[in-house]
Amino acid sequence: MGAGRRAGATGTAQAAAWLVVAATATLAACGGSGGDDASGRLTVVDVQGVEATAAQKGPATSATLARSAGGPDGLRYQVKVIPTPGVILGELRGGTPFDTSVVPTRDSTVCRPHTETLVPSRDGGVGQAIVWLVGVPAGPRDDGSRRVHLTLDGCRLSPRVQRVAAGATVLVHGNDAMMSRLQLVPLGERGSRSTILLTDAGQVVPSDEAFREPALLEVRDDLHPWVRAFIAVAPHPFVAVTDADGDFRFDGVPPGRYTLVVWHERLGTQRKTVKVEGGVQVRVRVEL
């Protein structure tokens, strides 16, 4: 059972990057003078991103995401109203579209040669990256969907990358007339959190065991090694998947200094420090 040939290995090496943060002052939601100057224009403040410390460097693992809340253990997140939160508007740039060719080695009546897009890119953006903040102690409730879908069709899983809130139920749809044994494995670990067995077309299996606690999960098929997907089980609302333009957004961010982590299955991991101020929109641009 050899794995399918890929036109480019999944990379874990970090790409060189720089970060420019443009913070645009806005009026506070509850009133106040905001950052207007005498002409009524909004004040623009330029803040340079701070390089990650040596302790923050290295590849991201499931624990990196799971322990990204507040407290000494990184597990403490409190739902509370933030009087004057900030906003992060992010943009991941420098990408070019990248597809991988897959040549299945079994179940050839169902699994045909195909290509999968690992780096969706539109106008230089980098899609399918998972982005999150580390060190957020409190903020709004995670309003992410508690019921999401993962579909096996034509020997490929979709969506390739998605975000779910902790405690969600994932409905796994099997559209292929074959046996598949999906393992949900936290990135950087060996043991599987859950096994999902699909045996025939039209099967739907609800799964919640693997999604009770935050994690960065890799979904893989024991019987078809080229089948892959990734699910970020978020510990707080400040976890996102970039679109093909490379865009993401975090609302309701409490003022503070945080580590911004960017992870991509092919492009690896990057970290930067971002400072958020109350009533301010911080524009984060990461160039690969």
Side-chain angles (χ1 to χ4, degrees), residues 21 23-26 28 45-47 82 84-88 252-258 274-282:
V21 181
T24 305
T26 61
V45 182
D46 292 326
V47 182
I82 305 299
T84 311
V87 175
I88 294 178
V253 185
R257 187 180 294 271
Y258 307 105
V274 177
K275 182 180 180 181
V276 177
E277 297 180 357
V280 172
Q281 285 189 343
V282 181

Side-chain angles (χ1 to χ4, degrees), residues 16 20 31 66 72 90 137 173 181 184-185 217 241 286:
V20 174
H173 301 256
R181 190 166 57 233
L184 283 73
V185 181
L217 300 174
V241 178
V286 180

Side-chain angles (χ1 to χ4, degrees), residues 88-98 117-131 159-163 239-250 262-264 267 284 286 288:
I88 294 178
L89 301 177
E91 185 179 16
L92 184 58
R93 306 288 298 172
T96 55
F98 182 88
T117 300
L118 300 190
V119 186
S121 179
R122 186 165 52 231
D123 296 330
V126 178
Q128 291 187 173
I130 299 174
V131 184
R160 178 89 178 181
V161 182
Q162 67 177 312
R163 173 210 192 279
V239 180
V241 178
T242 60
D243 61 21
D245 291 321
D247 294 340
F248 64 94
R249 176 180 179 127
F250 296 137
V262 177
W263 177 88
H264 191 282
L267 303 177
V284 178
V286 180
L288 297 181

